Amino acid sequence: MKESIKMNDYLMELFKFTIGKGNKCLIYPLVKEGIVSEKSVVKTINDADIESEEKSKLAKELKDVPINELEDIVVNANDVEDIYEFAKYVKWADINRLSKAIVESKDAYSITAFAREVKGVSVNDLAKEVINLHDGRAIYTFAYSVKGAPIKELEKSMCDPETYNTNFAYDFAKNVSANDVEGLTNAVIKGKSIQDMIAFARDIKGANIRKIENAIIKNGNARDIYEFTKEVPRANKK
């Protein structure tokens, strides 16, 4: 006999929402598999904003849908938040299938959350997907927040010429790793954030001060040049 799975608050809220939107199929598998009592499901249906005739039909059909239909609905709806939450909270979820659905979304935030929070995922595979997005913000966030992330590969990607948002090279060097300081120096310059350039020169050991200084001078803003010389003791003040 299959072990009973207790309903959690998230799923109940999800079902209330979907029932209210007319997506009645989401609720049936719960009762069939003993995840929640028929009484609690019927109460959810009764509270939903749908016609009484439809409520009666729902109550009669509760035991007619196979359990995998719940996951099918979540995946086919293509809502990355629901896919992530389903994988995180439903212990019988097909993690490989849901992981592929998250990857197809190309949503860096969701991919990172999936890698960080969902048990049984391949962190390396999801890191590759983030790297393929060439987004410095996403690369840094993944490296910083996901346990077991492949830092060396992510740092290399931050320094890749194809990567944008490379002002996050400063955050990467400060909070994650700075093995390739020269590459990260080039990346932060490419990011064109004067404040991040100044912070990189000031805070990161081994930063190419002269290269950053030249980039700021080339920008031609006297206030930025002054800020650099004030914040970076090793700056050329002649």
Side-chain angles (χ1 to χ4, degrees), residues 26-221:
L26 262 175
I27 206 73
Y28 303 152
L30 297 173
V31 174
K32 182 177 176 62
E33 293 297 307
I35 298 171
V36 291
S37 69
E38 184 169 341
K39 182 178 179 181
S40 65
V41 173
V42 171
K43 184 178 186 305
T44 302
I45 293 169
N46 285 336
D47 291 343
D49 185 19
I50 52 179
E51 297 296 327
S52 58
E53 183 179 348
E54 184 65 15
K55 290 179 182 179
S56 177
K57 184 179 178 183
L58 279 166
K60 291 178 182 178
E61 295 176 350
L62 278 172
K63 299 181 180 179
D64 295 337
V65 180
I67 192 64
N68 60 0
E69 190 160 325
L70 177 59
E71 187 170 278
D72 290 342
I73 292 167
V74 171
V75 171
N76 293 336
N78 200 31
D79 186 310
V80 291
E81 184 175 350
D82 283 348
I83 293 168
Y84 157 69
E85 296 282 1
F86 192 93
K88 181 178 178 181
Y89 291 115
V90 181
K91 69 180 181 182
W92 37 261
D94 184 341
I95 299 302
N96 288 334
R97 180 189 186 195
L98 295 169
S99 183
K100 289 177 182 177
I102 284 287
V103 166
E104 287 173 4
S105 74
K106 298 189 182 300
D107 183 307
Y109 176 84
S110 296
I111 294 172
T112 300
F114 203 90
R116 183 179 62 243
E117 302 289 346
V118 177
K119 294 180 180 180
V121 300
S122 171
V123 170
N124 286 341
D125 286 348
L126 292 175
K128 289 177 183 176
E129 298 301 330
V130 168
I131 288 170
N132 289 338
L133 297 176
H134 301 291
D135 181 347
R137 181 197 294 268
I139 292 165
Y140 163 67
T141 303
F142 195 99
Y144 179 73
S145 66
V146 178
K147 185 178 180 179
I151 301 302
K152 185 176 180 180
E153 287 79 1
L154 290 161
E155 182 174 3
K156 182 179 179 181
S157 179
M158 181 66 79
C159 301
D160 191 314
E162 290 187 45
T163 299
Y164 63 97
N165 279 340
T166 54
N167 53 296
F168 282 90
Y170 165 67
D171 300 276
F172 197 102
K174 183 175 175 62
N175 300 321
V176 181
S177 171
N179 288 319
D180 182 5
V181 179
E182 189 66 18
L184 292 170
T185 298
N186 293 334
V188 80
I189 290 172
K190 190 179 80 169
K192 297 182 178 180
S193 166
I194 299 298
Q195 291 305 311
D196 284 323
M197 287 189 222
I198 292 172
F200 196 99
R202 182 190 63 224
D203 299 338
I204 305 304
K205 185 178 179 179
N208 191 325
I209 304 295
R210 181 58 60 86
K211 185 179 283 188
I212 295 173
E213 182 179 53
N214 288 339
I216 291 175
I217 291 172
K218 186 177 180 180
N219 191 54
N221 186 301

